[in-house]
Structure formats: C-alpha cells, structure tokens
Amino acid sequence: MFTFGVDLDVGSDDDHFHLGMTSYNLLKNIELAGPNKGIFHLDCTYKIIKFNYLLIVFGLTDIERKIFTICFMFSSHEQQKDFDFFFTSLIDLCQKFDINFSPEFLIIDACKAMALSIKKNLIGCASFICE
C-alpha cells in the first residue's frame, strides 16, 4: 500500500485536504477493463471517518459483476477541483507505472462536480449517472 496525490492542507475552504491510497496490485486492476471487459465506477461516502471527509472509491466491475478496487482518496471537499486533483493524480500515477488508463465508460452518482471533472480530465469517456 502506498499514497499518491498527497496534499495535506488543513481542509478549510481555501486549503483542501487530499490523500490517495492504492497498491501496485490494485492499480493493475485497470488493465482488466479492456474492450467490453469492464466498466469503471466512481462513488463517494462521508460515513467513514469522524471528520466527515469525503472518501472517493474508484474501481471497476467485470461482465460477471465482480468488483475490482483500484484506489481510494480522502478529500475535505466535493468540488470539481477536488475531483480534478483525484483524476490528475491517478493519471500521473498510471503514467509512472506504464499503465494505460483511458476509460471508455464510467458510472457515477448524480454529482455535478464529478461529471464536470470527468468531462475535463477523461476526454472521450462516457459517464452514466446511476442513482
């Protein structure tokens, strides 16, 4: 397990906190999403830690509905710039490990900030809202 996308500010409205976690084996799960093999999912929850920081969970499911976790990130906010930070950090990490990360499909919840960030950072990726 290691961290990525570390930005340990105080978590205020001006200085957002970010801390990503994954492992090499989890990151390699991205390669399971070849053509027609898997769909990426991005979801968030606040009910994990006492500070009510957002936990971003990123993974994919295969045709048999098996879930493969890729990474997690704690964030103090749920704004577009926080999701931009998540995606740019993940893309940079994949480049360092020579992992091709170019998702075709991404299932998300009804979060406008998340949708705008996907449109900005994952060019050509279709996002679908699931409530």
Side-chain angles (χ1 to χ4, degrees):
M1 191 89 164
F2 58 87
T3 60
F4 73 99
V6 177
D7 187 8
L8 301 178
D9 284 324
V10 295
S12 68
D13 287 338
D14 295 327
D15 298 313
H16 295 198
F17 173 94
H18 301 104
L19 177 64
M21 295 164 284
T22 192
S23 70
Y24 181 71
N25 287 338
L26 289 178
L27 202 59
K28 292 289 284 181
N29 284 336
I30 289 173
E31 295 175 346
L32 298 173
N36 302 317
K37 291 184 181 176
I39 297 176
F40 289 97
H41 298 263
L42 183 66
D43 199 10
C44 305
T45 185
Y46 285 94
K47 299 176 183 176
I48 301 297
I49 60 175
K50 69 178 183 177
F51 297 112
N52 288 331
Y53 280 4
L54 176 72
L55 176 65
I56 301 169
V57 180
F58 187 68
L60 65 95
T61 55
D62 65 9
I63 194 74
E64 297 171 357
R65 297 183 303 201
K66 185 174 179 184
I67 298 171
F68 298 91
T69 305
I70 295 169
C71 64
F72 306 92
M73 181 175 276
F74 285 107
S75 176
S76 59
H77 292 75
E78 192 175 4
Q79 297 172 0
Q80 181 181 345
K81 68 180 181 177
D82 300 300
F83 291 107
D84 287 346
F85 186 85
F86 169 77
F87 284 119
T88 56
S89 298
L90 179 59
I91 290 166
D92 289 345
L93 185 62
C94 288
Q95 288 173 347
K96 288 178 185 175
F97 284 107
D98 198 30
I99 295 173
N100 180 24
F101 177 59
S102 55
E104 295 178 63
F105 304 105
L106 184 54
I107 307 277
I108 61 173
D109 61 8
C111 174
K112 186 175 182 179
M114 193 184 297
L116 291 172
S117 182
I118 291 165
K119 187 175 182 178
K120 176 183 176 184
N121 295 289
L122 302 177
I123 308 300
C125 180
S127 59
F128 299 94
I129 296 174
C130 180
E131 295 187 35

